Amino acid sequence: MSYEGWILITGALVGITCGIVGAYLILRRMAMMADAISHTVLLGIVLAFLITQSMEGIHMLIGAALAGLLTTFLVQWFHSKGVQHDASIGVVFTSLFAIGVILISTSVGNVHLDVQHTLMGEIAFIPFNTTNVFGLEIPVATLMLVIVLIIVLAFILILYKEWKLLAFDSALALSLGLPVMFLHYLFMGLVSITTVASFDAVGAIMVVAMLITPAAAAYLWTERLSIMIVLSAFFGAVSAISGYYVAYWIDSSISGSMAMMTGAVFIISFVFSPSHGLVSKWIRPDKKNGKKAHA
């Protein structure tokens, strides 16, 4: 596989994985939680490194997942005590992220873990850090994304009906006896491992764009959850691949260009979506703007 090929595959995997998870985040109106978790997992990564003194291995995913769950728990706890939900997110997000940054600056030292790399990512370096799998040299970040994508798909398939009901009517899910809080924290764990798996490729800031924007664009095109998930994954992959060529064309940041292309996909959807786009509303001004997505 060529150098360019690995970058394209890795970027597409980020887009697909984030797109699938992002569809549920959009439906549950949890976009800002994605922003919070994408930053606070930094604390989990740093603590996992300080404990193991290694940047490789499953402990990085475990540390990130635990940090994501801690973020979710603290946000829920503050909100239950009367703090507004958005304020709870802001307090937890900034505090835990700041602790992670301080630990990087004071305790980590000269290793491949720094604030710039964590925030912005550097997908151009992905092909240089490889591991041997069945005789094939595969970038470590790419392999991690493949594993995470398999995990995400497995949970989506197994718990599709439960998470669908939780996304559309959590009160009904609770009345039916579903373990709502367990499903909620399990999903937040998936968001966490998806985020940390994407760090090397696009960084903490850019992963927010991959988690939210393709899913928001997909939401404009369909009222079916299953189709929305597929479209969101497709838009994420298209944004990543097109972003690479845009970066090559204008000689700019690859991850930044990928994030920019998610915005371009959303603008196209916002304008040309057949049911909810600006053009559709202009042609059929009497059409109601409301919409209810369903399975």
Side-chain angles (χ1 to χ4, degrees):
M1 180 70 68
S2 67
Y3 169 83
E4 179 184 86
W6 282 124
I7 293 179
L8 291 173
I9 290 175
T10 305
L13 285 170
V14 171
I16 292 170
T17 309
C18 290
I20 294 172
V21 173
Y24 285 95
L25 287 171
I26 288 294
L27 289 177
R28 297 184 64 190
R29 295 180 174 88
M30 297 179 67
M32 290 309 298
M33 278 299 295
D35 189 15
I37 290 177
S38 69
H39 286 76
T40 57
V41 293
L42 173 64
L43 176 60
I45 293 173
V46 176
L47 291 176
F49 171 79
L50 291 176
I51 293 171
T52 64
Q53 293 298 308
S54 172
M55 287 291 293
E56 308 293 340
I58 194 66
H59 59 272
M60 303 300 287
L61 286 177
I62 295 174
L66 291 177
L69 292 176
L70 176 62
T71 302
T72 305
F73 172 78
L74 290 176
V75 169
Q76 292 284 103
W77 186 76
F78 280 123
H79 184 52
S80 69
K81 298 301 180 182
V83 181
Q84 291 184 353
H85 193 255
D86 55 347
S88 301
I89 293 175
V91 170
V92 175
F93 157 36
T94 53
S95 300
L96 296 186
F97 181 63
I99 294 172
V101 171
I102 291 172
L103 287 176
I104 285 181
S105 303
T106 59
S107 303
V108 172
N110 295 320
V111 297
H112 185 56
L113 181 63
D114 57 75
V115 176
Q116 177 70 16
H117 175 262
T118 304
L119 290 177
M120 301 300 295
E122 188 45 80
I123 197 170
F125 294 158
I126 294 298
F128 300 121
N129 182 21
T130 63
T131 186
N132 189 284
V133 179
F134 302 118
L136 178 65
E137 291 295 321
I138 299 179
V140 173
T142 307
L143 179 61
M144 182 180 292
L145 281 164
V146 170
I147 294 172
V148 170
L149 177 58
I150 293 172
I151 293 173
V152 168
L153 287 175
F155 276 106
I156 293 296
L157 292 174
I158 294 171
L159 298 172
Y160 178 79
K161 293 181 179 180
E162 289 81 0
W163 275 338
K164 177 181 67 178
L165 184 58
L166 187 61
F168 291 116
D169 195 337
S170 58
L172 177 59
L174 185 62
S175 68
L176 292 175
L178 293 179
V180 171
M181 291 308 298
F182 172 76
L183 292 172
H184 173 68
Y185 284 118
L186 180 60
F187 178 71
M188 289 298 104
L190 287 185
V191 175
S192 300
I193 65 172
T194 298
T195 299
V196 72
S198 304
F199 264 10
D200 276 346
V202 294
I205 292 177
M206 300 308 174
V207 79
V208 178
M210 287 293 186
L211 279 169
I212 300 305
T213 317
Y219 183 77
L220 296 173
W221 288 92
T222 182
E223 296 181 357
R224 294 186 65 87
L225 174 59
S226 56
I227 297 177
M228 180 182 171
I229 292 173
V230 173
L231 280 177
S232 182
F234 173 73
F235 288 157
V238 167
S239 299
I241 294 171
S242 59
Y244 172 81
Y245 289 107
V246 168
Y248 180 81
W249 177 43
I250 65 176
D251 190 23
S252 182
S253 164
I254 297 176
S255 59
S257 297
M258 289 178 175
M260 180 184 71
M261 291 309 297
T262 65
V265 169
F266 177 80
I267 292 299
I268 292 171
S269 301
F270 185 70
V271 174
F272 295 106
S273 167
S275 300
H276 306 280
L278 293 180
V279 172
S280 174
K281 292 177 180 178
W282 177 69
I283 295 174
R284 293 173 290 176
D286 58 330
K287 184 177 178 62
K288 291 183 179 180
N289 294 332
K291 137 177 180 173
K292 283 189 179 289
H294 55 80

